[in-house]
């Protein structure tokens, strides 16, 4: 049988699940941009793309050349097609306005153009995370600037989410709200080909991911839970756990979607004004949508991440996601 490309998959979704044609186009454009980013990432030192820009983003983090390049690729690919009312990104302080010379569309695109920046220069997997929302009617206007309030919708309102991972293989992992599928980039065809159908996170696990160097800053429920993991067979959980921390959320989540596990980036006492490190709109929400669609769970320790009503584009949130049993246990310790 001939391979099912992303385009064919999306067209079949339009037929069977009524996926709107403009959403299909949007996903294809994002996928095309991710191919362009993959191309830049793999050039590495040969393309002069490694290293820092010498600038900071709105969160005060140093921008790498590839952060900025990836952001530009996504903006340029998506601004002209008429499918978007606006965009927002980790690398831009404010919402991106669709230039007046182009028509506007019904959707909002929010992204982390390059996740795992600290791994770029050491040749470890990085990725692009994206979330698609519908622009509420009251903010839809061909003439006026888009109000940032339009983006501040809970994760349950996402119509699609996914990530591209640039690793030994480039993959696109996607949900349109009915399960999770994965595509692998066939570099000879230049197409994403369906390779992973109906991705499911195993309910239980013996693998965890957390940046242990922050242990002294954690809150009591997280200390308790990780202490229990570390005591292994002799402890209350009665099994030995393995630890993995890649420091690219994309790669850690990809591993969990592949073979289970729990990923944690808890709030900690380093900067009390910031609840955790990860951002709600373009990291936690799209990943939580994928994880839930794959049968896993995702909370901030107290509530389902997808239920949080955002207050700002760059809002941070604590994250516990992955295999249901473990996420429920550590969430329970917070009650
Ligand atoms: P980004 O590169 O987009 O800023 O995101 C990095 C995030 C996430 O990918 C990862 O899980 C985490 O930061 C790594 O944090 P540590 O530096 O604490 O390991
Ligand atoms: Mn990130
Ligand atoms: Mn990033």
């Amino acid at each position: 049988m001939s391979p099912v490309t992303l385009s064919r998959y999306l067209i079949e979704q339009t037929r069977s699940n009524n996926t709107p044609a403009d959403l299909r186009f949007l996903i294809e454009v994002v996928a095309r941009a991710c191919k362009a980013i993959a191309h830049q990432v793999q050039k590495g030192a040969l393309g002069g793309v490694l290293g820092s820009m010498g600038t900071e983003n709105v969160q005060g983090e140093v921008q790498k050349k590839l952060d900025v390049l990836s952001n530009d690729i996504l903006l340029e690919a998506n601004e002209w097609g008429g499918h978007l009312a606006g965009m927002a990104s980790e690398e831009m302080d404010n919402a991106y306005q669709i230039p007046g010379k182009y028509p506007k569309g019904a959707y909002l695109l929010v992204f982390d153009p390059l996740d795992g920046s600290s791994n770029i220069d050491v040749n470890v997997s990085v990725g692009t995370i994206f979330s698609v929302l519908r622009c509420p009617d009251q903010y839809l206007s061909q003439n006026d600037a888009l109000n940032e309030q339009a983006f501040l919708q809970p994760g349950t309102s996402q119509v699609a989410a996914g990530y591209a991972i640039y690793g030994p293989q480039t993959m696109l992992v996607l949900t349109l709200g009915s399960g999770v599928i994965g595509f692998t980039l066939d570099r000879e065809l230049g197409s994403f080909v369906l390779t992973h159908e109906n991705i499911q996170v195993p309910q239980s696990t013996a693998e965890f991911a957390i940046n242990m160097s922050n242990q002294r800053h954690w809150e009591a429920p997280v200390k308790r839970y990780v202490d229990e993991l570390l005591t292994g067979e002799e402890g209350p959980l009665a099994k030995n756990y393995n630890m993995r921390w890649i420091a690219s959320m994309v790669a850690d989540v990809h591993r969990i979607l592949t073979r289970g596990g729990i990923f944690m980036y808890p709030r900690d006492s380093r900067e009390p004004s910031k609840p955790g490190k990860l951002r709600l709109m373009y990291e936690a929400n799209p990943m939580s949508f994928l994880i839930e669609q794959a049968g896993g769970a995702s909370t901030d320790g107290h509530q389902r991440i997808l239920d949080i009503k955002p207050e700002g584009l760059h809002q941070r949130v604590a994250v516990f996601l992955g295999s249901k049993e473990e996420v429920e246990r550590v969430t329970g310790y917070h009650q």
Side-chain angles (χ1 to χ4, degrees):
M1 221 184 82
S2 59
V4 176
T5 60
L6 176 67
S7 303
R8 175 167 169 186
Y9 175 83
L10 291 171
I11 285 171
E12 286 173 355
Q13 284 299 305
T14 309
R15 286 190 199 134
S16 59
N17 277 345
N18 291 325
T19 301
D22 51 349
L23 178 59
R24 183 178 88 205
F25 178 69
L26 190 168
I27 303 292
E28 291 219 52
V29 174
V30 169
R32 209 177 305 145
C34 290
K35 276 192 257 179
I37 297 171
H39 192 68
Q40 294 297 331
V41 167
Q42 60 133 47
K43 283 186 191 168
L46 297 175
V49 295
L50 302 184
S52 155
M53 282 294 284
T55 50
E56 281 185 358
N57 65 16
V58 62
Q59 359 237 347
E61 297 161 345
V62 173
Q63 289 180 304
K64 297 286 181 79
K65 286 185 194 166
L66 272 170
D67 286 324
V68 176
L69 198 61
S70 306
N71 193 60
D72 291 348
I73 289 173
L74 280 156
L75 293 179
E76 273 169 35
N78 281 286
E79 67 179 4
W80 56 269
H83 52 291
L84 290 179
M87 293 183 253
S89 155
E90 179 188 350
E91 304 303 338
M92 297 183 297
D93 302 12
N94 304 112
Y96 181 81
Q97 303 289 335
I98 301 297
K101 57 183 170 182
Y102 302 124
K104 289 188 200 163
Y107 295 100
L108 300 169
L109 178 65
V110 192
F111 48 83
D112 176 354
L114 205 74
D115 174 67
S117 301
S118 72
N119 284 323
I120 293 172
D121 297 337
V122 293
N123 201 1
V124 169
S125 297
V126 292
T128 298
I129 310 172
F130 64 93
S131 161
V132 182
L133 296 158
R134 220 170 242 295
C135 184
D137 286 344
Q138 72 260 39
Y139 299 109
L140 273 177
S141 158
Q142 288 298 326
N143 305 316
D144 302 333
L146 177 70
N147 185 329
E148 232 163 68
Q149 292 295 322
F151 290 90
L152 305 182
Q153 309 175 42
T156 46
S157 302
Q158 293 171 104
V159 293
Y163 61 80
I165 179 167
Y166 316 117
Q169 303 103 44
T170 289
M171 285 189 67
L172 183 78
V173 175
L174 179 69
T175 183
L176 299 172
S178 53
V180 179
I181 59 263
F183 301 82
T184 305
L185 181 61
D186 182 328
R187 287 186 189 273
E188 283 146 40
L189 290 179
S191 311
F192 281 108
V193 173
L194 182 62
T195 47
H196 296 62
E197 276 182 272
N198 189 22
I199 295 174
Q200 290 285 323
V201 180
Q203 297 276 314
S204 57
T205 181
E207 208 160 64
F208 70 98
I210 192 165
N211 184 343
M212 288 291 297
S213 69
N214 297 323
Q215 192 170 31
R216 67 191 181 286
H217 304 296
W218 296 340
E219 294 178 336
V222 181
K223 279 189 181 149
R224 171 184 169 194
Y225 175 64
V226 174
D227 280 348
E228 290 182 0
L229 299 177
L230 296 179
T231 49
E233 250 170 7
E234 290 97 68
L237 308 182
K239 61 179 166 182
N240 293 327
Y241 283 77
N242 189 19
M243 195 196 88
R244 286 285 182 274
W245 180 251
I246 301 176
S248 294
M249 188 194 199
V250 152
D252 282 308
V253 168
H254 189 69
R255 185 189 59 252
I256 289 170
L257 283 171
T258 307
R259 67 177 190 211
I262 178 169
F263 170 92
M264 295 171 274
Y265 214 117
R267 60 180 66 68
D268 62 42
S269 59
R270 276 178 296 173
E271 287 179 84
S273 63
K274 291 180 182 165
K277 175 176 184 187
L278 298 175
R279 280 64 49 114
L280 177 61
M281 300 287 300
Y282 41 83
E283 290 174 323
N285 268 344
M287 291 311 204
S288 300
F289 192 19
L290 287 164
I291 287 287
E292 284 197 6
Q293 283 295 317
S298 176
T299 76
D300 69 349
H302 298 275
Q303 62 169 326
R304 188 181 171 215
I305 285 184
L306 293 181
D307 284 335
I308 297 173
K309 171 82 179 80
E311 284 163 5
L313 277 182
H314 302 286
Q315 176 174 341
R316 292 173 193 255
V317 68
V319 176
F320 301 85
L321 63 74
S323 296
K324 226 175 200 163
E325 278 178 14
E326 298 295 336
V327 174
E328 282 171 0
R329 181 188 304 277
V330 66
T331 303
Y333 290 178
H334 285 77
Q335 308 305 310

